[in-house]
């Protein structure tokens, strides 16, 4: 492995700081000599993690990317394993020859002084399969260089079944896995034996999933592990936590933050962050940033390796293709996203690690944990959407906390320029986005209960107490828990007559157990939290797999159609079952796959900053001329909303009447508000014709003018129209499909075959209709409602928006379109285009509207 110093494991040779003379007694000499041979000094936070372990406390480490978080998390484990495995006769012995061997960076002959004991010591939990594999690769180097007989293995969905079976019987000392794989391990009868020696759990990148359903599942698994091994130490690592106490509470049993020591790393070097201005003008509309392609090619040429982040897989494919079209220097450029095949991703990851690529276009698939030391520039295409996400991506560059990371923001339009500037300021101030924690989901609880039953009979009261020790479920009462048990046992009142839902029965002693062993296999085959849209495998006729596209996209294709995927132009030959058979196209591709649910939300923190920018006229001087002139003309012709104020503009245009409002609450909330307002407008005879939403604004057009917008934004819209809309729209059915799959009510696959998306949808829709009619208070309907309110409609931000409207609405009636409305109106009827390319027609329409709006 090359360039060790550039990796996250870099112990931190601090320039200008005198190394410690002595190290804690808890750090074995094998490790101290390994440090010394490299002229490295442990960082303060690494030593504090050792102290927390020696005190028997749980710990949360918040440290910058490149600060050696991974080493800090594993250092107590390595120290303990060395002490545990060293024979008494050899304890403390360290020969001069071993020191010389370390200094020469060869393996010391220490293996014969250690007597490895079988048993799992440490679990490392990663949000990504690739991250677990990457950490294993990096963890093996120091272990091998120290000559330690410590076994490290990964266990993910990609691990061969024979290795998984062997791991349960003879586990390694350190097992690297994911929340879902851990949950499956706990569903086996031998889990009590497997985890009996467990001493520590390390949760990496905890911010990435703690406040979601995967975090709910992991919190329940941690509670189970704590029951099996009461002295278990919990450790969490993160670089981008806004409020550490929230995560200390999530990590601690019973939410007792005093049990968790907070360890904070040293401040990292300030990043070298810039906003790329186009050689022409900042575009009015579009999200792709394709105007900057020539500048990106130049930037790739100036750096060793450049990571180009895109917010969606669609945009990644689009930008990759545009880069290749303009790649006259013939730079080696790759692409990486979650829909590519495992083989394709591994190939490009290997090429990056070996330094064979000059640039890699990627998505959130590389947000976390990838530590290629020679990456010296990160480019963010389009809006960053949040300061924490941007900091995470910036950290992929350089990966050394003592030297600045280089990053460039490429805004796609004028509003995105403001967002980019807001993110730039937040990063400069070291401010991160806050995360919202919510109660644990019932569908996840049901899956966990079924997993516990697969491991053996359980007592309901004892399991309730265990579940309540997990913070997301700390408020769970006995009655609600009994409903969850009843659902797992019978499917609920309306479904209990069907044998396929009768999974649990009560023993005479009152304990719950599986009604039949087949349900254990069924559970393990279908368990999981991530519910992807139905996918089809893309493959050539010879069987080579390229990746996956969603069933909804594939349904629009016919033989002979062409599309771009993985940077290749492909022609459809046929669609067979769940396979999309393709061949290399001989003509240009006309389409790029789109994926549902890929829209990243604008954080509340960045939204607040953008609002403040709009009224900070003194700060406009630092903006490009066209952005400053745009804002100045808006202030002249209309008004700027003050922080906390809701600006609503009404004006006629092209024989229609428009209402545009600027809440800056994100696309989800605006989309929901658009649905509600048009329903209310229709009931009032205003004849709405449609609406369009962005992260920044909402526009509605109608045949009749809106003279007073206040009644349209009244808070009772959430009590009346919202409930009716959700119940009669596809949203609740969509949410129900997900909770039905997660809870185990509906199976995604059987051995040897997998259901199509249509089959799963048909099953869930049928059950949904039955429950709505006969059991409207069913646990899963309640869970679906919770999902529809929070994730699908962002009702929390919608409520904040309406609260603001009640007292602070600023209505401005104009004779024509305003400058601030131009980027939104250009999107009408062209959302699919605005998400990717900005074609000539779009540009012409934008300039035409701008000409009207920017005239005094």
């Amino acid at each position: 492995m090359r360039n060790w110093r550039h990796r996250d494991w870099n112990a931190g040779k601090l320039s200008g700081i005198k190394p410690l003379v002595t190290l804690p007694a808890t750090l074995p000499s094998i490790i101290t000599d390994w440090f010394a041979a490299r002229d490295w000094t442990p960082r303060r936070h690494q030593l504090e993690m050792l102290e927390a372990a020696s005190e028997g406390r749980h710990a949360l480490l918040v440290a910058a990317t490149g600060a050696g978080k991974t080493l800090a998390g594993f250092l107590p484990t390595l120290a303990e394993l060395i002490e545990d495995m060293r024979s008494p006769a050899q304890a403390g012995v360290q020969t001069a020859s071993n020191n010389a061997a370390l200094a020469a960076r060869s393996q010391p002959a220490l293996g014969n002084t250690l007597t490895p004991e079988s048993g799992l010591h440490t679990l490392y939990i990663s949000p990504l399969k690739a991250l677990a594999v990457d950490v294993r690769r990096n963890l093996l180097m120091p272990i091998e260089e120290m000559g330690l007989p410590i076994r490290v293995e990964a266990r993910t969905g990609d691990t061969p079944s024979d290795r998984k079976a062997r791991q349960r019987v003879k586990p390694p000392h350190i097992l690297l896995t994911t929340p879902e794989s851990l949950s499956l391990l706990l569903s086996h009868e031998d889990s009590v034996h497997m985890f009996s020696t467990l001493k520590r759990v390390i949760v990496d990148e905890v911010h990435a999933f703690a406040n979601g359903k995967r975090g709910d599942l992991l919190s329940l698994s941690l509670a189970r592990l704590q029951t099996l091994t009461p002295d278990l130490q919990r450790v969490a690592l993160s670089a981008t936590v806004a409020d550490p106490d929230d995560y200390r509470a999530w990590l601690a049993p019973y939410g007792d933050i005093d049990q968790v020591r907070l360890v904070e790393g040293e401040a990292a070097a300030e990043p070298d962050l810039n906003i790329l201005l186009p050689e022409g003008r900042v575009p009015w509309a579009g999200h792709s940033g394709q105007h900057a392609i020539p500048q990106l090619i130049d930037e790739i040429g100036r750096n060793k390796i450049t990571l180009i982040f895109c917010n969606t897989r669609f945009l990644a494919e689009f930008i990759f293709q545009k880069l290749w079209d303009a790649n006259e220097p013939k730079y080696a450029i790759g692409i990486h996203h979650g829909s590519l095949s495992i083989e394709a991703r591994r190939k490009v990851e290997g090429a990056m690690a070996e330094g064979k690529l000059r640039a890699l276009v990627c998505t959130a698939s590389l947000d976390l944990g990838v530590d290629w030391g020679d990456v010296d520039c990160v480019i963010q295409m389009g809006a960053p959407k949040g300061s924490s996400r941007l900091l995470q991506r910036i950290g992929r560059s350089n990966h050394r906390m003592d030297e600045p990371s280089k990053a460039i923001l490429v805004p796609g339009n004028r509003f995105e320029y403001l967002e980019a500037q807001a993110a730039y300021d937040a990063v400069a101030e070291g401010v991160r986005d806050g995360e919202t924690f919510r109660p644990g989901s019932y569908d996840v609880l049901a899956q966990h209960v079924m997993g516990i039953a697969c491991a053996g009979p359980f007592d309901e009261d004892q399991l309730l107490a265990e579940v309540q020790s997990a913070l997301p479920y700390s408020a769970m009462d006995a009655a609600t828990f009994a409903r969850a048990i009843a659902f797992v046992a019978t499917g609920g009142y309306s479904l209990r007559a069907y044998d396929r839902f009768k999974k649990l029965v009560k023993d005479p002693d009152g304990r719950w157990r599986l009604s039949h062993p087949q349900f254990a296999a069924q559970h393990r085959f279908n368990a999981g939290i991530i519910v992807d849209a139905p996918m089809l495998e893309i493959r050539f006729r010879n069987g080579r797999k390229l990746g996956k596209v969603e069933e909804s996209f594939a349904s629009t294709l016919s033989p002979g159609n062409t599309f771009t995927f993985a940077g290749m132009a492909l022609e459809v030959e046929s669609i067979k079952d769940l396979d999309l058979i393709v061949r290399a196209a001989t003509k240009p591709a006309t389409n790029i796959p789109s994926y549902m649910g890929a829209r990243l939300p604008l954080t509340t923190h960045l939204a607040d900053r953008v609002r403040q920018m709009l009224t900070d006229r003194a700060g406009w001087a630092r903006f490009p001329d066209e952005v400053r002139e745009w804002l100045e003309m808006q202030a002249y012709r209309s008004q700027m909303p003050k922080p906390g104020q809701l600006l609503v503009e009404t004006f006629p245009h092209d024989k229609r009447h428009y209402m545009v409002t600027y809440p800056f609450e994100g696309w989800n909330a605006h989309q929901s508000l658009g649905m509600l307002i048009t329903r209310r407008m229709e009931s009032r005879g205003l004849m709405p014709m449609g609406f369009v939403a962005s992260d920044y604004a909402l526009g509605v057009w109608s045949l009749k003018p809106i003279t007073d917008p206040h009644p349209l934004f009244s808070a009772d819209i959430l009590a009346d129209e919202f409930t009716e809309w959700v119940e009669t729209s596809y949203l609740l059915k969509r949410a129900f499909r997900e909770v039905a799959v997660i809870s185990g009510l509906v199976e995604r696959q059987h051995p040897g075959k997998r259901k199509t998306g249509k089959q799963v949808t048909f099953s869930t829709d049928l059950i949904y209709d039955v429950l709505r009619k006969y059991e409207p208070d069913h646990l899963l309907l309640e869970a679906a409602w919770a999902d529809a309110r929070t994730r699908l409609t962002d009702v929390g931000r919608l409520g904040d928006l309406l609260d603001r409207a009640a007292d602070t609405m600023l209505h401005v009636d104009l004779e024509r379109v305003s400058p601030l409305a131009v980027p939104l109106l250009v999107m009408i009827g062209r959302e699919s285009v605005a998400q990717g390319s900005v074609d000539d027609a779009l540009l012409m329409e934008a300039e035409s509207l701008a000409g009207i709006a920017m005239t005094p």
Side-chain angles (χ1 to χ4, degrees):
M1 189 162 304
R2 60 185 187 83
N3 208 357
W4 181 252
R5 285 182 181 273
H6 288 182
R7 298 183 174 275
D8 188 42
W9 276 89
N10 184 349
K13 180 182 177 183
L14 301 177
S15 57
I17 297 181
K18 184 178 179 180
L20 296 175
V21 177
T22 59
L23 294 174
T26 53
L27 199 59
S29 57
I30 294 175
I31 298 180
T32 61
D33 289 332
W34 181 76
F35 273 98
R38 284 151 184 78
D39 195 26
W40 286 356
T41 302
R43 297 185 185 274
R44 171 187 53 76
H45 60 263
Q46 293 170 332
L47 300 181
E48 288 185 14
M49 292 295 284
L50 277 168
E51 291 176 5
S54 65
E55 295 167 358
R57 297 183 67 190
H58 310 297
L60 168 65
L61 171 60
V62 181
T65 300
K69 291 190 300 297
T70 313
L71 177 57
F74 278 110
L75 206 54
T77 292
L78 296 178
E80 290 174 21
L81 282 172
I82 290 170
E83 292 303 313
D84 288 347
M85 293 189 291
R86 189 185 296 277
S87 65
Q90 297 290 339
V93 175
Q94 178 71 49
T95 65
S97 62
N98 283 335
N99 281 323
L102 278 167
R105 298 197 181 194
S106 62
Q107 287 191 25
L110 295 177
N112 59 0
T113 69
L114 302 174
T115 56
E117 300 175 359
S118 62
L120 178 63
H121 182 284
T122 294
L123 268 175
Y124 166 91
I125 311 296
S126 159
L128 297 176
K129 296 177 186 178
L131 184 52
V133 174
D134 191 62
V135 169
R136 177 183 179 275
R137 184 173 62 243
N138 293 338
L139 180 55
L140 286 177
M141 176 172 277
I143 288 175
E144 291 173 356
E145 289 188 346
M146 287 184 257
L148 303 174
I150 295 175
R151 289 182 292 114
V152 181
E153 295 181 8
R155 183 189 182 97
T156 69
D158 299 333
T159 304
S161 57
D162 59 337
R163 189 184 306 166
K164 289 182 179 179
R166 192 260 303 151
Q167 286 173 342
R168 295 192 353 250
V169 177
K170 188 180 179 181
H173 301 106
I174 300 173
L175 183 63
L176 315 173
T177 190
T178 61
E180 290 81 2
S181 290
L182 171 59
S183 178
L184 287 174
L185 277 172
L186 288 168
S187 74
H188 289 276
E189 294 179 1
D190 53 13
S191 60
V192 175
H193 167 73
M194 179 178 183
F195 294 112
S196 62
T197 59
L198 188 64
K199 301 290 193 304
R200 180 171 293 106
V201 175
I202 301 171
V203 181
D204 202 359
E205 308 287 6
V206 64
H207 65 276
F209 56 98
N211 59 343
K213 289 192 177 185
R214 299 182 80 197
D216 294 345
L217 183 68
L218 181 55
S219 69
L220 291 168
S221 295
L222 291 175
R224 166 56 40 159
L225 289 174
Q226 204 79 46
T227 298
L228 298 178
T229 53
D231 295 330
L232 178 71
Q233 288 184 353
R234 306 181 184 187
V235 173
L237 314 174
S238 179
T240 57
V241 165
D243 187 348
D245 283 352
D246 284 346
Y247 287 87
R248 289 171 68 198
W250 180 88
L251 185 65
Y254 301 99
D256 183 2
I257 64 173
D258 292 335
Q259 295 186 52
V260 180
R261 176 169 173 174
L262 174 62
V263 178
E264 297 184 277
E266 299 91 340
E270 294 294 327
D272 178 9
L273 180 61
N274 291 283
I275 300 176
L276 183 67
L277 296 179
E279 294 173 346
R281 294 169 58 84
V282 178
W284 283 96
H287 300 306
S288 69
Q290 71 160 331
H291 60 271
I293 292 295
Q295 293 164 280
L296 296 191
I297 293 292
D298 292 342
E299 196 62 43
I300 291 171
R302 283 191 284 268
N303 299 289
K304 295 178 183 177
I305 299 177
T306 301
L307 280 182
I308 302 172
F309 278 102
C310 299
N311 290 340
T312 66
R313 288 165 283 182
F314 176 97
L315 185 55
E317 291 279 358
F318 176 80
I319 291 298
F320 179 70
Q321 190 60 50
K322 290 297 180 183
L323 284 172
W324 264 113
D325 291 344
N327 189 14
E328 292 184 6
K330 304 299 182 184
Y331 296 129
I333 303 174
I335 184 170
H336 189 290
H337 59 71
S339 291
L340 295 175
S341 66
I342 295 171
E343 294 78 14
R345 279 179 278 141
R346 293 290 181 268
K347 183 177 180 180
V348 76
E349 289 164 12
M352 281 290 285
E354 295 168 13
K356 294 181 178 179
L357 294 180
R358 291 295 298 274
L360 182 60
V361 181
C362 56
T363 62
S365 61
L366 293 186
D367 268 4
L368 306 174
V370 177
D371 52 355
W372 295 310
D374 283 341
V375 173
D376 47 6
C377 181
V378 163
I379 295 176
Q380 166 65 45
M381 300 300 296
K385 298 304 172 192
S387 59
S388 292
R389 182 180 294 111
L390 180 59
L391 279 167
Q392 186 79 45
R393 292 179 172 180
I394 290 173
R396 306 279 69 84
S397 165
N398 201 358
H399 223 268
R400 297 177 292 276
M401 68 174 293
D402 306 320
E403 300 176 25
S405 297
K406 179 181 177 182
I408 299 172
L409 297 176
V410 184
N413 59 57
R414 299 188 182 199
F415 268 123
E416 284 192 355
Y417 177 86
L418 298 179
E419 183 182 330
Q421 187 65 58
Y424 178 98
D425 294 344
V427 168
E429 297 168 18
V431 179
R432 302 180 177 98
D433 304 300
E435 299 85 11
T436 301
F437 282 78
R438 81 284 177 275
S441 300
Y442 292 156
D443 50 336
V444 177
L445 175 62
Q447 183 179 132
H448 178 73
V449 169
M450 186 62 189
I452 296 301
C454 292
F458 66 87
D459 178 85
E460 183 172 331
D461 292 338
Q462 291 177 357
L463 184 58
L464 172 59
E466 179 181 302
V467 165
Q468 289 171 332
S469 72
L471 182 67
Y473 299 93
S474 57
M476 175 71 61
D477 57 66
T480 304
F481 189 66
R483 289 174 62 206
I485 297 288
F487 161 70
V488 177
T490 67
Y493 176 79
S494 300
L495 304 175
R496 61 183 181 178
Y498 299 91
D499 288 342
R500 66 190 180 103
F501 299 122
K502 295 179 179 178
K503 298 177 181 179
L504 303 183
V505 294
K506 241 182 185 181
D507 282 338
D509 63 1
R511 295 197 303 169
W512 290 97
R513 64 171 176 81
L514 287 182
S515 61
H516 193 282
Q518 71 180 21
F519 288 119
Q522 180 180 310
H523 168 78
R524 294 176 190 130
F525 211 59
N526 287 277
I529 297 302
I530 301 173
V531 181
D532 291 322
M535 307 287 276
L536 267 67
E537 192 86 52
I538 306 173
R539 65 176 179 85
F540 290 116
R541 200 183 310 170
N542 64 6
R544 179 190 167 196
K545 297 178 180 179
L546 298 176
K548 296 180 178 181
V549 292
E550 291 182 1
E551 192 176 56
S552 57
F553 172 77
S555 65
T556 67
L557 301 174
S558 301
N561 290 161
T562 58
F563 65 99
T564 297
F565 186 82
M568 293 183 282
L570 303 172
E571 181 180 333
V572 177
E573 287 194 344
S574 63
I575 299 177
K576 296 180 180 179
D577 298 326
L578 295 179
D579 287 335
L580 179 61
I581 313 300
V582 299
R583 64 186 174 194
T586 57
K587 52 187 177 181
T590 58
N591 210 345
I592 297 176
S594 57
Y595 297 86
M596 296 292 290
R599 193 184 291 265
L600 296 174
L602 174 70
T603 64
T604 301
H605 171 68
L606 281 197
D608 289 342
R609 282 182 176 268
V610 173
R611 288 193 199 100
Q612 292 167 5
M613 281 182 179
L614 294 178
T615 53
D616 179 21
R617 296 195 63 146
W620 296 354
R622 58 180 174 154
F623 297 165
D625 289 345
E626 57 265 33
V627 174
R628 186 183 67 255
E629 292 166 2
W630 171 52
L631 299 180
E632 288 174 346
M633 185 58 69
Q634 169 68 21
Y636 174 76
R637 289 212 41 243
S638 179
Q639 293 198 45
M640 284 294 189
K642 298 176 182 177
Q645 200 171 48
L646 183 67
L647 172 64
V648 178
E649 296 176 330
T650 52
F651 51 83
H653 177 70
D654 197 19
K655 299 181 181 180
R656 299 175 184 174
H657 297 277
Y658 286 80
M659 178 181 72
V660 178
T661 183
Y662 307 90
F664 296 90
E665 292 293 353
W667 182 85
N668 255 358
H670 297 168
Q671 186 80 3
S672 300
L673 184 62
M675 293 294 297
L676 298 178
I677 283 182
T678 51
R679 290 172 71 95
R680 183 164 280 192
M681 288 173 63
E682 190 169 354
S683 67
R684 284 163 168 73
L686 293 173
M687 304 178 72
M689 300 177 66
F691 71 91
V692 63
S694 71
D695 270 336
Y696 320 104
L698 166 69
V700 181
W701 58 96
S702 58
L703 292 179
K704 293 186 177 182
I706 298 171
T707 55
D708 181 9
H710 286 84
L712 299 178
F713 290 82
S714 61
D716 62 359
I717 200 170
L718 288 182
D720 301 333
E721 281 91 343
F722 180 81
T723 301
E724 181 185 352
W725 166 52
V726 172
E727 287 185 342
T728 57
S729 73
Y730 75 97
L731 283 174
L732 202 54
K733 281 191 174 184
R734 174 181 163 190
F736 183 81
R737 175 184 175 273
E738 180 173 306
V739 300
V741 169
I742 291 175
S743 67
L745 184 68
V746 173
E747 301 163 19
R748 284 176 276 197
Q749 52 190 344
H750 298 277
K753 63 178 182 178
R754 183 183 179 92
K755 286 185 177 180
T756 66
K758 291 180 180 178
Q759 288 171 328
V760 172
T761 300
F762 177 77
S763 299
T764 56
D765 285 357
L766 191 62
I767 295 173
Y768 172 83
D769 291 337
V770 169
L771 296 182
R772 281 285 309 277
K773 185 174 182 180
Y774 298 105
E775 196 177 352
D777 60 346
H778 191 278
L779 189 80
L780 289 197
L781 288 179
E782 190 173 332
W785 250 107
D787 274 10
R789 290 177 63 84
T790 54
R791 295 190 306 110
L792 301 182
T793 63
D794 216 342
V795 71
R797 293 179 74 167
L798 190 55
D800 292 341
L801 190 165
L802 294 173
D803 287 344
R804 198 161 67 248
D807 301 318
T808 68
M809 181 182 290
L810 174 63
H811 177 210
V812 180
D813 189 40
L814 302 169
E815 77 283 358
R816 52 193 161 92
V817 60
S818 73
L820 217 56
V822 171
L824 187 72
L825 264 61
V826 173
M827 292 173 57
I828 294 175
R830 298 180 179 273
E831 270 215 289
S832 60
V833 176
Q835 291 172 2
S837 64
V838 183
D839 61 14
D840 292 339
L842 183 60
L843 287 171
M844 290 188 339
E845 184 174 340
E847 292 303 324
S848 174
L849 273 172
I852 298 172
M854 295 294 287
T855 302

